[in-house]
Every structure is written in structure tokens, then in C-alpha cells.
Amino acid sequence: MGRLHEVRVVGDQHAAAGPFVRAPSFARPFWSPDEGYLGTEAALLRAGGTMYGDVVDRKPPLVPWLYEASFALAGPHGLWLVHVLAVVALALTGTLTARLAERWWGRWAALPAGVLTVAGTAALPAPDAIAATFEVFMLPATVAAMYFGARRRYLPAGLAVAVAGLTKQVGLAPLLPLAVQILAGHRRARAGAALVAGAATPLAVCAVALGVRPFSFWVFLSSGSYTSSPPGLSETAARAGNALLCLLTAFALALLLVPRLPWRNPVRRRRLKAPAARDRGAAVPPRDEARRDAARALAGWLPASTAAVAVGWHFYGHYFLQLTPPLALGSLWLVDTVRRADAADRRTSRTVGAARTASVLAVGAVVAAGAWTAAAFHSAPPGLPKMLRVATAVAERTTPEQRVFQWGMHPEIYWLSGRLPSSRYLTAGLLTNFSGGGDPARVGHRYAVPGAWDRFRAELAGSPPCLVVDDSAGTPYRLASYPELRELLARDYRQVAVVDGARLYQRHAC
């Protein structure tokens, strides 16, 4: 009962920290175009659409399905429920990280690990930290995979990896540290088979249910142009540096421990390597073995997560959320290593010293998270007032049964206006390869998702939209550069409004 009580206390504290850092998420109608895209996908799915058929995205299906279920329960504007689920996901991430830290270093590490993880997710600019998108729902499964791996339960570890991968492709990153751990242990064939079976089975089931060809294409093969069109070197460095510096504000105090690592002192290194007494009958691995597990796992997990952030070299801030659990645990590895070295020299209690140091790190992270959270209440997603006005204009000029099409990068127009899109391509990005800050030289027909324009032309011919919103002024994909759209508007539409630079065209037949 005492052990269960401790788990509940740690879980309750992380459950309380989740609403604290995500409270600003309830203060705005939406926080990012990704939320608008997912909300529109959910509306299409609820209207009878099929994933990777008439509802397409370069992402796996779990988060669109989560949005669909939330809207079914809370109504078409039930984004608040999605944000509640994001709070739950964050609290679960903190609790699992705490359990993993306890297994590796002892009970003193549990609460600081969870607090560092939850607080670290707030240490990014508000749209990236607050939006309820893929990364925040991916985090519990990635940490669960590492937790089950630490317990040598590779089948559930593989299942957790699959859930993470079906949330976002980079959720497969834990496969690297788990594979390294298997290769370093015993019964490698059995453990490897369990991991592969756990990871592959849900992916295969999902592919068969949705169609192997469309699932494989949209999830794994449709992003070639996007990933090969990074911003310029200066912008790439600025994005990566800014996001990393923001994130490290939650872990700044841990960096002060780096100079105290016993790297340059051979005597201290030998003392740290001296074998500890082993209790082979205990259910929990001996502490020195657990520490080696931690070092091995972090040596694979942190680089794998960093590589996942760097895919495509776009370095959007929300990509960095997946670094928070390994950074939190890496901070506690620093605490444990430094305090063990100090204890070897001074013959003091390393557990008490480590607990105090870890508590200081956690307090520092909470202070940083509080500053970021307070700033988020005064922030808003870029273009929010404009998108609200455009959505209002769309709703005023159409009926709920009429479909619309927006040529731009703001799919939230559909969701906010309560109008369904006439095309499966919810942004100009899928048809032009445009992305914020991407290489403008690689924008156009030839860089679109393969086959997209043929299907798009068929959509325009078969069911033309009643209203077209052109929000491409001043962009590399301006509508006038695309003859199909330019000629269609000139022939069948008339301009009826201009809202903050966005031009609205209504079809004569509507």
C-alpha cells in the first residue's frame, strides 16, 4: 500500500502540473494551422470521409481520429476537449518519466524527473508549446516504450513504439535505443522478435484497414519534396538555435553540473566504476546495472530524438517537444553522476545530495515554465484576427451545405466557418510544396505531392466550390501563377469581397 500511495502522489502532482503549463491553451479559439487542419480533417471524417481517400495528410491517422472522436462528443467546435486530452497526455508523460527515473536511479529521482519533463514542454513560444498537435500526443507512447524496455518487456515496448509511430512518424525513434539495449543483453533473438512483433503488428493492421497503398504513400512516401526543401542556412540555424535556447531555459541549472563530471580525474572515474554490491534476488536490477542501463538508453534516445527533430531541417519549435523526456532524464543522470563522485571523495550521503540537487533543478524548471506560461496568456497564434474575419465572411456568403476552397496555408478557415472543403487538399502546401520558411525555389507544380494535381483538377471539374478564398498575395504560390485556378476564376466566379488581403470569389451558379 505504501508503494501504491507513492505512485499515486507522484501521479497527482504531475496531473496538477499539466493544467498549470497548458492553461493558456483554453484562452484562444485555436493555436496553430495544424489544429485547424486536424479540425477540418475531423469534420470531413464525421461527414463520411475516409482517411487517405478524401481526407489526406502526410501524417499517421491517430491524431485525426482523436480529433474526430472529440468533436463527436463535444460538438464541431469541441477543441476544448482535445486540449483536455492534451493535458492528460502531458500528465501521463510526466508520470511515466518519473517511473523510468525511479527504476534507473531510485525514488529520489521520480518527482524531479516528472516535473522537469512537464515544465520543459512549456519552455517554447506559445503556439509551439500550447497547440494540441502530434508531438504532445506522441510523448506518452515514446516514454512508455522506454519504460517497458527498461523492464525488459519488449512486446509492450514495441506496441508503445507503434502507437507513437501512428501518432507521428518520428515516434519510431525509440527503436534505436531499444535495439541497442537488446543487442547488449541476453536472449537477443527472443527479445528482438518481441520488439519487432509489437511494433509491426499495429502498423500492419492499420495499413490493411486503410489500404496498404494509400497508407504507405501518405505516411511514408509523400514527403520527399518537403523534406528535401529546407530553408536557407541562416534561417535554419536561427530556428534551431532559438528553439533550443528556449527549451534549455528549463534545464539551465543542469548545465552547471557539466564541469563537475569526473571526466578528467582518473581516481574518481575508477571509484565510480568499482562494482557495487549486487542483490541478485531483488526484483529490481542492482543499482549499478540500472545506471548502466540508463547511460546506454540515453546515449541512444537523445541522439535519435535529436535526429528526428532535424528531419527536413525545418526545425519548427514544436518539433523540440520530443526532446523534453530525454533531456529531463539526462539532467538527472548528471545529478547522479556528480553526486556519486562527490560521495566517493567526501564519504557523504549521495542519495540526500542527489535529491537536494534534483529538487533545485526541478524548482528552476518550474520557475522557467511559469514565466513561459504567463507570457502565453498574452500571446496569440499568428494571424488569428484575420482568420476570424475571413471565416466570418465565408460563413456569411455560403450556406452550410455549400463547399468552399481556400488557396493558402490556413485550413482553420474551414473549421472556424463551419464549411466543408471542396477538395481533399486543405492547404496549398500539398499542391505546391510551400511551407513556412522553406526554399521558395522549390515551390510549384513540379514539387507537389505526386499525382495531386491530376486529382485536384478532377475535383474542380466534378464539384467546383461555391466560394474560393485566395489568401496567396505576396507568397511564392500566388494564385495567378497557376493557370488552372486563374482561368477557372475568370470564367465561373466573381470577386465579392476582400478581407485583410484575402480575396473571396463566388461562383455564378451559386
Side-chain angles (χ1 to χ4, degrees):
M1 290 295 294
R3 176 77 186 105
L4 180 61
H5 174 72
E6 289 179 8
V7 172
R8 286 176 177 171
V9 169
V10 171
D12 290 345
Q13 289 169 322
H14 298 145
F20 167 70
V21 300
R22 294 198 62 85
S25 67
F26 300 94
R28 302 287 183 269
F30 72 97
W31 277 98
S32 78
D34 282 346
E35 287 186 340
Y37 199 110
L38 287 161
T40 304
E41 284 184 291
L44 284 168
L45 290 169
R46 292 193 67 213
T50 57
M51 199 70 199
Y52 308 126
D54 39 16
V55 182
V56 299
D57 194 2
R58 292 185 174 114
K59 299 294 194 303
L62 285 192
V63 179
W65 286 341
L66 179 70
Y67 269 66
E68 180 191 7
S70 298
F71 286 11
L73 293 172
H77 294 279
L79 192 59
W80 66 267
L81 181 54
V82 179
H83 283 286
V84 169
L85 295 176
V87 171
V88 174
L90 186 57
L92 181 58
T93 302
T95 300
L96 288 169
T97 307
R99 295 295 301 277
L100 185 54
E102 180 179 354
R103 184 167 188 87
W104 281 344
W105 298 296
R107 294 183 181 180
W108 65 265
L111 183 59
V115 170
L116 282 165
T117 300
V118 174
T121 63
L124 288 167
D128 295 303
I130 297 301
T133 52
F134 302 93
E135 287 79 10
V136 70
F137 294 113
M138 180 183 73
L139 286 177
T142 57
V143 180
M146 297 302 297
Y147 173 70
F148 286 121
R151 298 184 63 188
R152 306 303 192 267
R153 296 177 60 187
Y154 291 109
L155 181 61
L159 291 171
V161 169
V163 171
L166 286 170
T167 304
K168 190 177 180 182
Q169 294 92 328
V170 294
L172 299 174
L175 283 175
L176 175 61
L178 290 171
V180 171
Q181 180 173 290
I182 288 172
L183 292 174
H186 304 292
R187 298 181 179 178
R188 291 189 287 269
R190 180 178 178 180
L195 179 65
V196 171
T201 301
L203 292 170
V205 170
C206 202
V208 170
L210 296 172
V212 174
R213 185 173 180 179
F215 175 84
S216 302
F217 174 76
W218 283 104
V219 176
F220 297 112
L221 304 175
S222 65
S223 300
S225 295
Y226 174 77
T227 56
S228 61
S229 304
L233 180 60
S234 60
E235 183 166 355
T236 298
R239 278 189 186 180
N242 179 66
L244 191 58
L245 286 174
C246 290
L247 187 62
L248 289 179
T249 58
F251 305 101
L253 294 180
L255 298 178
L256 300 177
L257 297 175
V258 174
R260 297 180 58 190
L261 288 170
W263 288 340
R264 298 182 180 180
N265 190 321
V267 175
R268 299 182 83 188
R269 285 204 306 271
R270 283 197 297 271
R271 287 175 177 169
L272 287 177
K273 290 181 180 180
R278 288 177 170 83
D279 180 8
R280 298 190 182 276
V284 178
R287 191 59 60 204
D288 59 325
E289 288 187 25
R291 288 190 178 100
R292 283 197 290 271
D293 283 350
R296 186 185 300 116
L298 290 172
W301 190 7
L302 188 55
S305 296
T306 303
V309 170
V311 170
W313 303 100
H314 288 271
F315 291 112
Y316 293 117
H318 53 90
Y319 289 6
F320 286 78
L321 288 173
Q322 62 197 288
L323 292 177
T324 52
L327 281 177
L329 293 166
S331 298
L332 295 178
W333 175 85
L334 282 172
V335 171
D336 179 69
T337 302
V338 169
R339 287 305 177 189
R340 283 196 302 129
D342 289 347
D345 287 345
R346 304 169 188 169
R347 301 183 183 278
T348 59
S349 172
R350 58 190 176 202
T351 300
V352 173
R356 289 175 179 171
T357 305
S359 299
V360 171
L361 298 189
V363 170
V366 168
V367 171
W372 283 104
T373 302
F377 277 109
H378 301 284
S379 302
L384 173 61
K386 174 182 175 179
M387 291 306 107
L388 292 174
R389 287 191 287 268
V390 172
T392 299
V394 169
E396 291 173 348
R397 288 167 174 80
T398 56
T399 64
E401 297 77 22
Q402 294 176 332
R403 298 211 174 196
V404 302
F405 175 72
Q406 71 94 23
W407 182 252
M409 296 299 292
H410 290 280
E412 61 269 22
I413 290 173
Y414 297 120
W415 174 64
L416 291 170
S417 66
R419 302 296 184 261
L420 292 176
S422 64
S423 171
R424 72 194 71 193
Y425 304 108
L426 304 185
T427 69
L430 296 173
L431 293 163
T432 67
N433 193 44
F434 177 82
S435 63
D439 184 358
R442 293 178 63 84
V443 174
H445 281 91
R446 61 182 296 190
Y447 302 108
V449 170
W453 274 95
D454 291 337
R455 295 184 180 89
F456 181 55
R457 292 185 187 100
E459 289 173 340
L460 290 177
S463 55
C466 277
L467 192 75
V468 174
V469 179
D470 175 17
D471 191 32
S472 63
T475 70
Y477 59 90
R478 62 185 183 275
L479 186 145
S481 301
Y482 295 85
E484 298 92 335
L485 293 171
R486 184 180 67 241
E487 294 169 6
L488 178 71
L489 293 182
R491 183 179 66 247
D492 297 334
Y493 291 78
R494 70 183 187 279
Q495 182 175 312
V496 293
V498 178
V499 182
D500 292 351
R503 299 178 181 274
L504 277 62
Y505 298 86
Q506 194 158 36
R507 190 167 177 248
H508 297 310
C510 293

